[in-house]
Amino acid sequence: MSDPLDEYRKKRDFRVTPEPEPAPPIARDDATFVVHRHEARNLHYDLRLEHGGVLCSWAVPRGFSYDPGEKRLAVRTEDHPLEYEHFSGRIPRGQYGAGTMAIWDRGTYELVKARSWDEAVARGEIKVQLAGRRLRGEWHLVRTQQSKNSWLLFKSRDLYAGPSRDSALGIDIGAAPRAPMSITPAAMHWDSEVAGFDDPAWVFEMEFDGLRCFATKDGSTTAVQGVDTVPRGVNDALAALRCSRAMLDGVLVALDGRGRPDRGALRAALAGDGAGITYYAFDLLHWEEFDLRPLPLFDRKAALRTLIADLPGVSYVDHVTGSGQALLQAISAAGLPAAIGKRGASLYHEGAHSDWRRIAAEPTTATAGPTEAERRTNRATLRTKPTNLGKVYWPAEGYTKGDLLAYYRSVADVLVPHLRDRPVHLNRFPDGIDGKSFYQREAKEGTPEWLRTAPVPSDDGIVPHHVIDDLDALLHVVNLGSIDLHPWLSRVSTPDSPDWAVLDLDPKQAPFADVVRIARAAGRLLRGIGLRPLLKTSGKFGMHVFVPLRPGYTYDHSRMFCEAVARILVRELPDIATVERLPDRRDGKVYLDFLQNRRSQTIVPPYSVRPIRGASVSAPLAWDELERDDLSPQLFTIRSMPARIGERGDLFRAALEDRQDLMQAIEALEDVLRGR
Ligand code: MN
């Protein structure tokens, strides 16, 4: 048999490349795997499994995914020497594989479901159990018919499988040390009570009234500190965590009749059968064989969110970033006790520490009538003095203009970032939803000087548009009678380059259940081609699917993309979905409107109120909320939204942060179109 490393040697000049020259093989016990992130002419990942004294290697152009449905091409390449396990560096230009080679993950692996490596290779089916920092659980390599070096790599369905991501926790935990899971760590606490504050380096969570305790999963055993029998729902959700070992920090909570956390209710539930108890998890201290306490809070929380499965017993405590005052207002309005501010970069310390601070709620009455609304709206110094606060805007509900202003004030911190830096059109209802309304693109004379306007070139010359960059600007346009808001899909400085692609599911007469079915299919399709779409109700009767875009795309790109998505959905659900533009020809089907992806078209942002009965608002949804039995657009109103934001934070934050690559998605979509 020839030396398996001949090809490796032949391709390289060891006087030039810093890569290791193979030494004679050494016998080792546990098999190692390593993944290199290889930024060569094309970025790819090299998966290398130790076998027979060498590292058997595959190049994986699109990397790894924990979604078992996402099968990735893996091209078998030449064997590499064992020394390569520790290699990282820059391969000089002109050499084979020129570029940078970085260790992306490393750990041990086991061959499973095969008697021997040779048998598995002969069958063209290699199953391995990986124990790394990013790659965990069972992975599957299957040789394709195309050529002997062409394989498919995908995640097996095991407890690590779940939403699409390339690392078990969705983040890099390279800095976490290996350590046994501590049985009784010391909890971190806030050290002082402070007034509400805003600081972009801090995150703010709701404080829950209940039993603060650690919850653990270790193999098939679950435990909750201080509780003899883990309540069944909590036990099920801990068992379903996407890992084999974890320690969470959080609060055991039961709700009273009004849906608020209540210690009495918790005591009663613990004494009884434990029904209705939820563990609200806000931190992750340990995962598998790693101590996560030396990682920043941002990372620990991102990891925690990834681990938690969609079961009622364990809930993730979300946060708002930067805007403590907005959260405080929301929880005060909802009658909850306090918010906890935490420095985003802070490590998990033992005991009281200044990186955590408690912010007690302000006393308010729960039901805000006009007087209350006036009081709240007038409290701070505003640049616009609100007028006609008592004017009734929603006659059926009795909601006033003051209520509308109070709502917008309370959600401003999560809403304004979605408006900032975009031209906005106004839709003004000075006499409420039943009165006359008028649509206004142009910022007219009389617009106060402090309010930003942007000159936007259009068919009839340069038209100044309003830009809502802050609370003052928001309240100014609302005081003008704007109920809903209409920002562009692109920004002032790049009006021809959208940063959101939007598919509008518009039902007109069709039932909401059809909208839900189509939204589900849209989510599946978009996630299947590697995107991370966002979902919200329109606030009326439809839904909006958003994909935030990387800079540089044009409206032609986003429109063509959304059109292709719409056409695939119509093909999949022809009885309920249509792209027919004429309403008369839609046959009661949901209209998939991709034409809004155009310059000077607008879309209501999340949290925008709509001028219809019920004062419903556009509500961001987690995708799994499509399965809620009670889901209806009327669930989210100016009354219910602030508390929801207090609980869940800004579910649409990724629309600003997670800007995605459309080119790969378009290619993948073409495959879908061709494949069926
Ligand atoms: Mn490579």
Side-chain angles (χ1 to χ4, degrees):
M1 209 179 127
S2 65
D3 182 342
L5 293 175
D6 270 353
E7 192 185 344
Y8 176 84
R9 282 199 187 82
K10 251 184 256 155
K11 284 182 165 166
R12 288 165 177 80
D13 181 349
F14 294 105
R15 290 164 306 180
V16 182
T17 182
E19 295 167 287
E21 191 170 359
I26 13 158
R28 302 205 302 190
D29 282 347
D30 43 346
T32 297
F33 85 90
V34 61
V35 176
H36 283 100
R37 185 179 191 277
H38 188 181
E39 213 158 330
R41 201 171 42 220
N42 293 307
L43 170 68
H44 61 272
Y45 295 80
D46 290 304
L47 167 66
R48 312 186 196 281
L49 302 172
E50 176 187 356
H51 173 72
V54 296
L55 294 170
C56 300
S57 299
W58 285 262
V60 188
R62 294 183 58 208
F64 303 83
S65 171
Y66 275 82
D67 176 349
E70 293 182 5
K71 300 189 166 45
R72 300 282 165 88
L73 179 68
V75 180
R76 183 75 200 264
T77 57
E78 78 276 16
D79 293 340
H80 280 50
L82 291 183
E83 292 86 342
Y84 220 93
E85 179 196 335
H86 298 287
F87 174 73
S88 64
R90 184 160 192 87
I91 301 170
R93 193 174 300 179
Q95 289 295 300
Y96 177 70
T100 56
M101 188 78 85
I103 294 173
W104 185 78
D105 196 14
R106 183 170 54 208
T108 56
Y109 85 95
E110 240 180 281
L111 185 70
V112 294
K113 295 173 188 164
R115 261 177 311 213
S116 71
W117 178 274
D118 293 341
E119 181 211 294
V121 171
R123 210 173 45 209
E125 205 177 8
I126 303 175
K127 290 183 182 178
V128 289
Q129 190 82 30
L130 302 177
R133 287 166 187 259
R134 293 180 184 268
L135 298 179
R136 304 291 300 197
E138 191 178 305
W139 294 76
H140 204 149
L141 276 160
V142 178
R143 191 164 43 220
T144 68
Q145 309 295 328
Q146 270 85 17
S147 79
K148 78 177 187 8
N149 288 333
S150 159
W151 298 64
L152 287 176
L153 169 73
F154 53 93
K155 185 79 194 74
S156 303
R157 288 184 197 280
D158 61 9
L159 62 89
Y160 296 94
S164 178
R165 60 199 194 277
D166 68 1
S167 305
L169 294 177
I171 57 152
D172 177 11
I173 60 150
R178 251 168 232 276
M181 187 156 78
S182 165
I183 299 167
T184 49
M188 183 165 179
H189 293 282
W190 50 268
D191 79 334
S192 57
E193 293 211 66
V194 297
F197 65 99
D198 291 345
D199 184 333
W202 285 64
V203 302
F204 300 88
E205 296 168 350
M206 250 167 85
E207 183 187 69
F208 291 88
D209 208 10
L211 174 67
R212 166 85 185 272
C213 54
F214 295 115
T216 54
K217 168 181 183 176
D218 195 352
S220 57
T221 310
T222 67
V224 173
Q225 185 190 26
V227 173
D228 294 336
T229 310
V230 182
R232 179 161 1 137
V234 178
N235 174 69
D236 291 349
L238 287 173
L241 292 178
R242 297 189 179 97
C243 62
S244 66
R245 187 182 298 128
M247 176 174 281
L248 284 54
D249 191 357
V251 185
L252 215 50
V253 170
L255 304 181
D256 66 11
R258 287 184 305 171
R260 292 179 194 162
D262 179 76
R263 282 164 190 270
L266 177 64
R267 267 192 300 275
L270 281 173
D273 65 357
I277 296 180
T278 301
Y279 183 74
Y280 282 88
F282 52 67
D283 215 322
L284 180 64
L285 278 59
H286 193 99
W287 173 76
E288 304 302 7
E289 60 271 28
F290 302 101
D291 182 357
L292 303 193
R293 288 176 294 180
L295 299 185
L297 175 70
F298 281 133
D299 286 349
R300 297 197 308 274
K301 287 203 71 174
L304 175 65
R305 187 202 285 262
T306 305
L307 282 190
I308 294 178
D310 182 21
L311 286 174
V314 173
S315 283
Y316 170 76
V317 177
D318 210 343
H319 54 258
V320 298
T321 303
S323 21
Q325 311 215 43
L327 179 64
L328 189 64
Q329 270 187 10
I331 64 170
S332 303
L336 295 164
I340 305 290
K342 300 179 176 178
R343 203 165 60 79
S346 62
L347 316 184
Y348 194 96
H349 299 277
E350 298 192 343
H353 195 282
S354 57
D355 281 346
W356 285 16
R357 293 174 194 167
R358 184 173 194 268
I359 308 162
E362 300 152 6
T364 59
T365 51
T367 48
T371 325
E372 170 66 9
E374 281 185 35
R375 193 186 68 74
R376 286 174 47 161
T377 308
N378 289 328
R379 190 175 48 212
T381 51
L382 291 175
R383 295 179 108 151
T384 295
K385 179 150 175 47
T387 50
N388 297 321
L389 292 178
K391 185 176 264 184
V392 173
Y393 266 25
W394 280 268
E397 293 79 13
Y399 297 158
T400 62
K401 185 182 180 189
D403 292 328
L404 180 68
L405 280 157
Y407 167 79
Y408 271 122
R409 195 183 157 85
S410 76
V411 303
D413 280 314
V414 287
L415 166 61
V416 169
H418 298 288
L419 292 166
R420 198 169 281 149
D421 202 31
R422 296 171 196 278
V424 66
H425 301 169
L426 307 185
N427 193 17
R428 295 170 61 180
F429 292 77
D431 296 311
I433 65 167
D434 293 339
K436 278 207 186 73
S437 69
F438 56 99
Y439 202 80
Q440 179 185 347
R441 282 193 310 157
E442 185 174 354
K444 296 270 165 48
E445 264 177 56
T447 303
E449 258 180 38
W450 55 263
L451 184 74
R452 182 176 167 202
T453 59
V456 175
S458 63
D459 295 344
D460 29 336
I462 305 276
V463 177
H465 280 56
H466 294 98
V467 183
I468 298 174
D469 280 341
D470 54 28
L471 175 67
D472 284 314
L474 174 65
L475 295 184
H476 179 80
V477 301
V478 174
N479 192 52
L480 290 176
S482 306
I483 292 179
D484 47 7
L485 302 158
H486 298 269
W488 284 32
L489 302 172
S490 52
R491 292 175 182 251
V492 167
S493 54
T494 48
D496 294 308
S497 184
D499 53 4
W500 291 330
V502 176
L503 185 63
D504 178 8
L505 313 184
D506 177 3
K508 288 287 182 298
Q509 313 300 327
F512 186 66
D514 290 352
V515 178
V516 171
R517 275 182 67 198
I518 296 167
R520 225 181 253 142
R524 232 178 3 240
L525 172 64
L526 293 170
R527 284 190 299 273
I529 56 170
L531 294 173
R532 296 168 301 280
L534 296 161
L535 178 68
K536 67 186 186 68
T537 66
S538 69
K540 288 186 170 171
F541 308 102
M543 288 197 188
H544 297 148
V545 177
F546 273 52
V547 176
L549 303 179
R550 286 206 184 140
Y553 294 113
T554 64
Y555 277 110
D556 286 337
H557 288 121
S558 59
R559 191 171 58 252
M560 283 183 328
F561 173 73
C562 290
E563 176 170 2
V565 170
R567 291 192 184 281
I568 291 172
L569 292 171
V570 167
R571 198 166 59 183
E572 191 177 333
L573 298 165
D575 297 340
I576 57 171
T578 179
V579 287
E580 175 57 59
R581 288 176 67 181
L582 295 173
D584 291 351
R585 296 208 199 140
R586 287 183 199 153
D587 284 341
K589 297 176 187 175
V590 177
Y591 176 48
L592 309 191
D593 186 359
F594 52 83
L595 294 171
Q596 296 187 3
N597 295 284
R598 262 180 213 286
R599 184 192 163 93
S600 90
Q601 292 289 304
T602 64
I603 192 100
V604 293
Y607 313 110
S608 175
V609 184
R610 304 310 301 267
I612 58 171
R613 267 193 78 161
S616 48
V617 308
S618 175
L621 298 176
W623 283 95
D624 57 21
E625 288 184 283
L626 286 175
E627 314 309 323
R628 280 173 68 165
D629 293 335
D630 64 342
L631 188 65
S632 123
Q634 283 71 47
L635 209 55
F636 311 104
T637 69
I638 61 170
R639 280 288 182 255
S640 64
M641 201 58 186
R644 179 172 158 91
I645 294 167
E647 265 170 42
R648 309 214 47 166
D650 179 11
L651 286 175
F652 231 61
R653 190 170 41 201
L656 304 167
E657 295 171 355
D658 185 20
R659 302 182 64 177
Q660 301 172 34
D661 187 346
L662 210 48
M663 281 309 157
Q664 276 189 5
I666 289 173
E667 279 172 31
L669 208 55
E670 282 165 0
D671 289 345
V672 175
L673 274 164
R674 259 185 259 116
R676 282 190 210 166

